[in-house]
Structure formats: C-alpha cells, structure tokens
Amino acid sequence: MTLKVLERERGDWAVLQVSGEMDLVTSPAVRQHVHDAVADGRRSLVLDLGEVRFCDSSGVGVLIAARRLMRSCQGRLRLILPAQGAVEGSHVNRVLAALGVRRLFEVYPDLDSATTEAADPLSA
C-alpha cells in the first residue's frame, strides 16, 4: 500500500489526512506536506493519522520533527489517532505508546475535537 496525503482547511487549521503506510520510502512526503504548510504561513496543523495502517521509525521521526518545527514557529500541532481507526485500532497510537513518545503530542479522537479550541486532548 502506498501513502496518500489529502490537504484541506478547517477554520484556522490546516488538515493533512494521511492514509496508507508511513515508512522509509513514504515518510518524506508527509514531512514535505508539513513544511509546505508552514511555508504557506500555516501555524495550526492537524495530522489525521486514523487511516495509517503501518508506521515505522521513519514515520515516528517525521512526527517528532513536525512537532519540533511547529514549536519553533510558535505553531500548534494536533494528531488525530482514533481508538478504533484503521480497522483494528490506530496503529500509530500503538507505535507511539510503545516507544514512549505518545505523551509528546496533543491527540484527539476526531477532526471536530481536534479543531475545537475548547476541546481537551486525550490522555497519554
């Protein structure tokens, strides 16, 4: 399976809906989309990862780099990692938790809560 990234806007938020596999070959595309959003002046970014079926260390590295980039420009990064996404549960959520880096991210279950200012992130 390949990687697909759909871009859209929701209010002040740029939303990148990612589906497929984030690995050594495909992860640079996600990184480029994040950089393009920042270059376009976007400072509020949501990465919807609910349909990512596989994520290796390269994908995790891209997520950590995106967090670092958004923080460096006083931006905001939120992840959508639904408990029951990608058929049998969010693969990315399990990978981030297993690596102990899940707590670094503001995680939401869906697009509505991720783009609502008053919504609280899910606990790690």
Side-chain angles (χ1 to χ4, degrees), residues 35 85-86 107:
H35 282 267
V107 175

Side-chain angles (χ1 to χ4, degrees), residues 8-123:
R8 59 185 164 155
E9 294 184 14
R10 173 68 80 88
D12 292 336
W13 294 89
V15 180
L16 299 178
Q17 183 177 1
V18 183
S19 60
E21 299 179 356
M22 288 179 59
D23 58 23
L24 182 62
V25 173
T26 61
S27 292
V30 177
R31 181 186 314 262
Q32 188 61 53
H33 281 279
V34 170
H35 282 267
D36 290 347
V38 170
D40 288 343
R42 303 311 299 254
R43 296 298 180 262
S44 299
L45 180 64
V46 173
L47 291 176
D48 183 348
L49 305 173
E51 293 301 319
V52 172
R53 298 186 188 281
F54 176 80
C55 181
D56 68 6
S57 60
S58 302
V60 173
V62 166
L63 297 178
I64 291 171
R67 178 183 179 269
R68 188 178 310 125
L69 175 63
M70 295 310 292
R71 289 172 62 97
S72 74
C73 66
Q74 286 75 49
R76 303 179 291 175
L77 175 66
R78 294 181 174 179
L79 305 182
I80 297 175
L81 296 173
Q84 293 302 315
V87 181
E88 67 237 359
S90 175
H91 175 77
V92 178
N93 200 22
R94 291 190 312 266
V95 169
L96 294 177
L99 293 174
V101 296
R102 164 70 170 67
R103 62 182 168 68
L104 298 176
F105 298 96
E106 288 186 42
V107 175
Y108 295 83
D110 54 48
L111 184 59
D112 288 337
S113 60
T115 56
T116 300
E117 297 302 322
D120 291 324
L122 299 172
S123 60

